[in-house]
Amino acid sequence: MLTIDQATYDAIVAHARRDHPDEACGVVAGAVGSDLPTRFIPMVNAAMSPTFYEFDSTDLLRLYQEMDDNDEVPVVVYHSHTATEAYPSRTDINLAGEPEAHYVLVSTRDGAHESGPVDFRSYRIVDGEVTEEEVTVVERY
């Protein structure tokens, strides 16, 4: 189960809406062993694509150095789908390299990028196996 605070949930949704029609992507880091996403880090989609996301390799290296310096790990790895449901594509599954991370997908299809509810779902992806998990949004930790 993913437990996420309301401010971080809102920040992920706002990022997905802002970058629509391109996919948005980012990470929410947290302390090693905590499983709590606490530091929201929106990233640039280097692919600038409505169907694919790619972290900029220089930004990603910098992020991992920062997390290492702060004893953090990527608790959440998120991105948006702009025209399909919030379910990992075959490419998403192949690129999922953090077995301890929660993979969050937000769908901004069907006008959700402008207003109204979005489809916000979380998965564990380990060795190519996708397991959806419950998302609990709390006011704060």
Side-chain angles (χ1 to χ4, degrees):
M1 176 177 77
L2 170 63
T3 300
I4 190 167
D5 68 296
Q6 186 69 56
T8 303
Y9 176 97
D10 292 345
I12 291 171
V13 171
H15 185 200
R17 285 181 165 152
R18 186 174 56 250
D19 281 12
H20 187 97
D22 289 336
E23 291 192 4
C25 57
V27 170
V28 186
V32 172
S34 71
D35 201 37
L36 284 178
T38 57
R39 186 164 68 96
F40 173 71
I41 307 143
M43 304 283 284
V44 171
N45 179 356
M48 299 182 71
S49 168
T51 59
F52 182 73
Y53 80 96
E54 179 178 28
F55 294 124
D56 177 85
S57 60
T58 302
D59 291 347
L60 192 59
L61 176 61
R62 185 178 310 116
L63 170 62
Y64 271 78
Q65 288 171 335
E66 286 175 11
M67 289 191 299
D68 190 50
D69 290 345
N70 296 328
D71 292 325
E72 295 174 323
V73 293
V75 176
V76 169
V77 178
Y78 73 88
H79 75 281
S80 62
H81 283 178
T82 60
T84 60
E85 69 175 316
Y87 189 84
S89 67
R90 177 55 50 198
T91 301
D92 297 336
I93 295 167
N94 289 339
L95 294 176
E98 295 287 346
E100 300 300 319
H102 303 268
Y103 285 89
V104 166
L105 281 98
V106 176
S107 177
T108 56
R109 70 178 176 174
D110 298 333
H113 66 287
E114 294 176 343
S115 65
V118 297
D119 194 11
F120 187 107
R121 297 163 70 180
S122 182
Y123 304 89
R124 294 288 193 166
I125 304 174
V126 179
D127 296 330
E129 184 175 328
V130 178
T131 305
E132 186 167 6
E133 61 184 356
E134 181 181 339
V135 176
T136 299
V137 180
V138 297
E139 189 58 37
R140 71 182 78 179
Y141 303 124

